mmCIF file of all heavy atoms in Angstrom:
data_model
loop_
_atom_site.group_PDB
_atom_site.id
_atom_site.type_symbol
_atom_site.label_atom_id
_atom_site.label_comp_id
_atom_site.label_asym_id
_atom_site.label_seq_id
_atom_site.Cartn_x
_atom_site.Cartn_y
_atom_site.Cartn_z
ATOM 1 N N ILE S 259 37.231 61.997 44.297
ATOM 2 C CA ILE S 259 37.144 60.586 43.896
ATOM 3 C C ILE S 259 38.011 60.365 42.664
ATOM 4 O O ILE S 259 37.987 61.156 41.718
ATOM 5 C CB ILE S 259 35.692 60.185 43.576
ATOM 6 C CG1 ILE S 259 34.777 60.451 44.763
ATOM 7 C CG2 ILE S 259 35.619 58.728 43.141
ATOM 8 C CD1 ILE S 259 33.313 60.253 44.440
ATOM 9 N N PHE S 260 38.761 59.269 42.664
ATOM 10 C CA PHE S 260 39.475 58.811 41.467
ATOM 11 C C PHE S 260 39.275 57.303 41.395
ATOM 12 O O PHE S 260 39.962 56.533 42.055
ATOM 13 C CB PHE S 260 40.966 59.173 41.547
ATOM 14 C CG PHE S 260 41.720 58.891 40.271
ATOM 15 C CD1 PHE S 260 41.376 59.540 39.100
ATOM 16 C CD2 PHE S 260 42.759 57.972 40.248
ATOM 17 C CE1 PHE S 260 42.058 59.286 37.931
ATOM 18 C CE2 PHE S 260 43.445 57.711 39.081
ATOM 19 C CZ PHE S 260 43.100 58.370 37.918
ATOM 20 N N SER S 261 38.246 56.874 40.612
ATOM 21 C CA SER S 261 37.845 55.468 40.616
ATOM 22 C C SER S 261 38.095 54.828 39.262
ATOM 23 O O SER S 261 38.035 55.480 38.218
ATOM 24 C CB SER S 261 36.358 55.338 40.975
ATOM 25 O OG SER S 261 35.569 56.062 40.073
ATOM 26 N N ALA S 262 38.361 53.512 39.261
ATOM 27 C CA ALA S 262 38.672 52.764 38.047
ATOM 28 C C ALA S 262 37.404 52.448 37.263
ATOM 29 O O ALA S 262 36.279 52.555 37.769
ATOM 30 C CB ALA S 262 39.399 51.481 38.413
ATOM 31 N N HIS S 263 37.598 52.061 36.006
ATOM 32 C CA HIS S 263 36.489 51.612 35.153
ATOM 33 C C HIS S 263 35.763 50.452 35.805
ATOM 34 O O HIS S 263 36.375 49.521 36.334
ATOM 35 C CB HIS S 263 37.043 51.203 33.791
ATOM 36 C CG HIS S 263 36.043 50.541 32.908
ATOM 37 N ND1 HIS S 263 35.057 51.237 32.262
ATOM 38 C CD2 HIS S 263 35.891 49.222 32.564
ATOM 39 C CE1 HIS S 263 34.329 50.387 31.554
ATOM 40 N NE2 HIS S 263 34.826 49.169 31.714
ATOM 41 N N GLU S 264 34.420 50.506 35.824
ATOM 42 C CA GLU S 264 33.509 49.509 36.393
ATOM 43 C C GLU S 264 33.551 49.448 37.920
ATOM 44 O O GLU S 264 32.961 48.564 38.521
ATOM 45 C CB GLU S 264 33.786 48.109 35.807
ATOM 46 C CG GLU S 264 33.431 48.003 34.326
ATOM 47 C CD GLU S 264 33.551 46.590 33.792
ATOM 48 O OE1 GLU S 264 34.270 45.787 34.410
ATOM 49 O OE2 GLU S 264 32.927 46.310 32.752
ATOM 50 N N GLU S 265 34.214 50.391 38.564
ATOM 51 C CA GLU S 265 34.188 50.460 40.026
ATOM 52 C C GLU S 265 32.911 51.147 40.461
ATOM 53 O O GLU S 265 32.501 52.163 39.895
ATOM 54 C CB GLU S 265 35.396 51.228 40.551
ATOM 55 C CG GLU S 265 35.463 51.271 42.076
ATOM 56 C CD GLU S 265 36.694 52.010 42.585
ATOM 57 O OE1 GLU S 265 37.576 52.352 41.755
ATOM 58 O OE2 GLU S 265 36.778 52.259 43.801
ATOM 59 N N ARG S 266 32.252 50.589 41.506
ATOM 60 C CA ARG S 266 30.989 51.142 42.006
ATOM 61 C C ARG S 266 31.263 52.063 43.193
ATOM 62 O O ARG S 266 32.038 51.721 44.087
ATOM 63 C CB ARG S 266 30.032 50.026 42.419
ATOM 64 C CG ARG S 266 29.602 49.163 41.239
ATOM 65 C CD ARG S 266 28.590 48.107 41.653
ATOM 66 N NE ARG S 266 28.211 47.279 40.522
ATOM 67 C CZ ARG S 266 27.239 47.583 39.663
ATOM 68 N NH1 ARG S 266 26.553 48.699 39.839
ATOM 69 N NH2 ARG S 266 26.951 46.784 38.658
ATOM 70 N N ILE S 267 30.582 53.222 43.199
ATOM 71 C CA ILE S 267 30.739 54.219 44.251
ATOM 72 C C ILE S 267 29.364 54.505 44.848
ATOM 73 O O ILE S 267 28.386 54.698 44.131
ATOM 74 C CB ILE S 267 31.344 55.523 43.698
ATOM 75 C CG1 ILE S 267 32.703 55.263 43.050
ATOM 76 C CG2 ILE S 267 31.471 56.569 44.804
ATOM 77 C CD1 ILE S 267 33.776 54.791 43.991
ATOM 78 N N THR S 268 29.302 54.521 46.200
ATOM 79 C CA THR S 268 28.051 54.829 46.885
ATOM 80 C C THR S 268 28.139 56.213 47.496
ATOM 81 O O THR S 268 29.074 56.522 48.239
ATOM 82 C CB THR S 268 27.752 53.798 47.981
ATOM 83 O OG1 THR S 268 27.707 52.493 47.397
ATOM 84 C CG2 THR S 268 26.412 54.086 48.646
ATOM 85 N N PHE S 269 27.165 57.062 47.160
ATOM 86 C CA PHE S 269 27.102 58.424 47.672
ATOM 87 C C PHE S 269 26.050 58.520 48.772
ATOM 88 O O PHE S 269 25.251 57.592 48.993
ATOM 89 C CB PHE S 269 26.753 59.394 46.544
ATOM 90 C CG PHE S 269 27.777 59.466 45.454
ATOM 91 C CD1 PHE S 269 27.683 58.649 44.328
ATOM 92 C CD2 PHE S 269 28.845 60.343 45.551
ATOM 93 C CE1 PHE S 269 28.634 58.716 43.325
ATOM 94 C CE2 PHE S 269 29.800 60.419 44.553
ATOM 95 C CZ PHE S 269 29.692 59.596 43.444
ATOM 96 N N ALA S 270 26.030 59.665 49.453
ATOM 97 C CA ALA S 270 25.003 59.974 50.451
ATOM 98 C C ALA S 270 24.643 61.441 50.300
ATOM 99 O O ALA S 270 25.450 62.260 49.842
ATOM 100 C CB ALA S 270 25.510 59.677 51.855
ATOM 101 N N CYS S 271 23.406 61.779 50.680
ATOM 102 C CA CYS S 271 22.995 63.174 50.645
ATOM 103 C C CYS S 271 23.638 63.930 51.803
ATOM 104 O O CYS S 271 23.803 63.387 52.902
ATOM 105 C CB CYS S 271 21.465 63.285 50.757
ATOM 106 S SG CYS S 271 20.581 62.679 49.296
ATOM 107 N N GLN S 272 24.021 65.166 51.553
ATOM 108 C CA GLN S 272 24.550 66.003 52.614
ATOM 109 C C GLN S 272 23.456 66.297 53.632
ATOM 110 O O GLN S 272 22.265 66.195 53.340
ATOM 111 C CB GLN S 272 25.120 67.302 52.026
ATOM 112 C CG GLN S 272 26.344 67.079 51.153
ATOM 113 C CD GLN S 272 26.870 68.361 50.529
ATOM 114 O OE1 GLN S 272 26.275 69.431 50.684
ATOM 115 N NE2 GLN S 272 27.986 68.254 49.814
ATOM 116 N N ARG S 273 23.869 66.668 54.824
ATOM 117 C CA ARG S 273 22.939 66.859 55.948
ATOM 118 C C ARG S 273 21.816 67.842 55.560
ATOM 119 O O ARG S 273 22.075 68.927 55.027
ATOM 120 C CB ARG S 273 23.694 67.393 57.160
ATOM 121 C CG ARG S 273 22.812 67.593 58.421
ATOM 122 C CD ARG S 273 23.622 68.233 59.523
ATOM 123 N NE ARG S 273 24.681 67.340 59.963
ATOM 124 C CZ ARG S 273 24.562 66.422 60.924
ATOM 125 N NH1 ARG S 273 23.401 66.276 61.544
ATOM 126 N NH2 ARG S 273 25.582 65.668 61.262
ATOM 127 N N GLY S 274 20.577 67.430 55.805
ATOM 128 C CA GLY S 274 19.419 68.274 55.551
ATOM 129 C C GLY S 274 18.905 68.225 54.120
ATOM 130 O O GLY S 274 17.960 68.923 53.790
ATOM 131 N N LYS S 275 19.530 67.414 53.244
ATOM 132 C CA LYS S 275 19.101 67.323 51.857
ATOM 133 C C LYS S 275 18.580 65.928 51.546
ATOM 134 O O LYS S 275 18.932 64.956 52.225
ATOM 135 C CB LYS S 275 20.261 67.682 50.923
ATOM 136 C CG LYS S 275 20.735 69.115 51.097
ATOM 137 C CD LYS S 275 21.798 69.491 50.072
ATOM 138 C CE LYS S 275 22.210 70.949 50.237
ATOM 139 N NZ LYS S 275 23.213 71.367 49.242
ATOM 140 N N TYR S 276 17.745 65.864 50.472
ATOM 141 C CA TYR S 276 17.101 64.602 50.125
ATOM 142 C C TYR S 276 17.288 64.315 48.635
ATOM 143 O O TYR S 276 17.337 65.223 47.812
ATOM 144 C CB TYR S 276 15.605 64.663 50.473
ATOM 145 C CG TYR S 276 15.353 64.909 51.940
ATOM 146 C CD1 TYR S 276 15.181 66.220 52.406
ATOM 147 C CD2 TYR S 276 15.317 63.858 52.852
ATOM 148 C CE1 TYR S 276 14.965 66.457 53.757
ATOM 149 C CE2 TYR S 276 15.095 64.090 54.205
ATOM 150 C CZ TYR S 276 14.928 65.390 54.655
ATOM 151 O OH TYR S 276 14.722 65.620 55.984
ATOM 152 N N LEU S 277 17.375 63.021 48.292
ATOM 153 C CA LEU S 277 17.621 62.586 46.920
ATOM 154 C C LEU S 277 16.459 62.987 46.007
ATOM 155 O O LEU S 277 15.294 62.742 46.318
ATOM 156 C CB LEU S 277 17.816 61.068 46.881
ATOM 157 C CG LEU S 277 18.122 60.451 45.520
ATOM 158 C CD1 LEU S 277 19.501 60.902 45.036
ATOM 159 C CD2 LEU S 277 18.071 58.923 45.588
ATOM 160 N N THR S 278 16.818 63.614 44.859
ATOM 161 C CA THR S 278 15.791 64.013 43.888
ATOM 162 C C THR S 278 16.034 63.417 42.502
ATOM 163 O O THR S 278 15.089 63.181 41.758
ATOM 164 C CB THR S 278 15.744 65.546 43.748
ATOM 165 O OG1 THR S 278 17.036 66.019 43.343
ATOM 166 C CG2 THR S 278 15.348 66.208 45.064
ATOM 167 N N VAL S 279 17.285 63.169 42.128
ATOM 168 C CA VAL S 279 17.607 62.686 40.782
ATOM 169 C C VAL S 279 18.650 61.578 40.869
ATOM 170 O O VAL S 279 19.647 61.719 41.577
ATOM 171 C CB VAL S 279 18.147 63.829 39.889
ATOM 172 C CG1 VAL S 279 18.471 63.297 38.490
ATOM 173 C CG2 VAL S 279 17.137 64.962 39.791
ATOM 174 N N ASN S 280 18.418 60.474 40.119
ATOM 175 C CA ASN S 280 19.347 59.345 39.972
ATOM 176 C C ASN S 280 19.518 58.561 41.271
ATOM 177 O O ASN S 280 19.004 58.937 42.323
ATOM 178 C CB ASN S 280 20.717 59.807 39.450
ATOM 179 C CG ASN S 280 20.599 60.482 38.103
ATOM 180 O OD1 ASN S 280 19.772 60.107 37.282
ATOM 181 N ND2 ASN S 280 21.420 61.496 37.874
ATOM 182 N N GLU S 281 20.252 57.435 41.170
ATOM 183 C CA GLU S 281 20.503 56.550 42.308
ATOM 184 C C GLU S 281 21.736 57.015 43.068
ATOM 185 O O GLU S 281 22.634 57.642 42.506
ATOM 186 C CB GLU S 281 20.733 55.119 41.799
ATOM 187 C CG GLU S 281 19.585 54.557 40.972
ATOM 188 C CD GLU S 281 18.502 53.955 41.842
ATOM 189 O OE1 GLU S 281 18.784 53.646 43.007
ATOM 190 O OE2 GLU S 281 17.380 53.804 41.338
ATOM 191 N N LEU S 282 21.794 56.660 44.368
ATOM 192 C CA LEU S 282 22.958 57.014 45.169
ATOM 193 C C LEU S 282 24.149 56.115 44.869
ATOM 194 O O LEU S 282 25.295 56.503 45.103
ATOM 195 C CB LEU S 282 22.612 56.945 46.658
ATOM 196 C CG LEU S 282 21.696 58.067 47.186
ATOM 197 C CD1 LEU S 282 21.277 57.781 48.618
ATOM 198 C CD2 LEU S 282 22.390 59.413 47.092
ATOM 199 N N ARG S 283 23.906 54.928 44.330
ATOM 200 C CA ARG S 283 24.990 54.011 44.001
ATOM 201 C C ARG S 283 25.200 54.055 42.484
ATOM 202 O O ARG S 283 24.289 53.766 41.714
ATOM 203 C CB ARG S 283 24.651 52.578 44.455
ATOM 204 C CG ARG S 283 25.758 51.565 44.238
ATOM 205 C CD ARG S 283 25.366 50.229 44.881
ATOM 206 N NE ARG S 283 26.299 49.163 44.570
ATOM 207 C CZ ARG S 283 27.447 48.937 45.205
ATOM 208 N NH1 ARG S 283 27.775 49.729 46.217
ATOM 209 N NH2 ARG S 283 28.240 47.944 44.875
ATOM 210 N N GLN S 284 26.421 54.419 42.050
ATOM 211 C CA GLN S 284 26.714 54.588 40.636
ATOM 212 C C GLN S 284 27.987 53.834 40.271
ATOM 213 O O GLN S 284 28.743 53.398 41.146
ATOM 214 C CB GLN S 284 26.865 56.069 40.284
ATOM 215 C CG GLN S 284 25.601 56.882 40.444
ATOM 216 C CD GLN S 284 24.521 56.485 39.453
ATOM 217 O OE1 GLN S 284 24.806 55.924 38.406
ATOM 218 N NE2 GLN S 284 23.255 56.752 39.793
ATOM 219 N N ILE S 285 28.206 53.682 38.933
ATOM 220 C CA ILE S 285 29.346 52.930 38.442
ATOM 221 C C ILE S 285 30.118 53.789 37.442
ATOM 222 O O ILE S 285 29.527 54.559 36.678
ATOM 223 C CB ILE S 285 28.890 51.601 37.780
ATOM 224 C CG1 ILE S 285 30.103 50.750 37.381
ATOM 225 C CG2 ILE S 285 27.993 51.857 36.587
ATOM 226 C CD1 ILE S 285 29.717 49.350 36.927
#
């Protein structure tokens, strides 16, 4: 990833894993 200031990026968990810390959508 190479994103600009204030650009929002949406992540996803890899197969078989579940979210434990922080939000999937970050800035």
Side-chain angles (χ1 to χ4, degrees):
I259 303 172
F260 188 62
S261 58
H263 171 75
E264 292 187 339
E265 183 179 352
R266 295 183 181 274
I267 302 295
T268 303
F269 296 92
C271 291
Q272 294 178 356
R273 182 185 295 271
K275 297 185 178 181
Y276 300 93
L277 182 67
T278 58
V279 180
N280 300 325
E281 303 276 341
L282 288 172
R283 184 173 173 83
Q284 295 293 337
I285 185 171

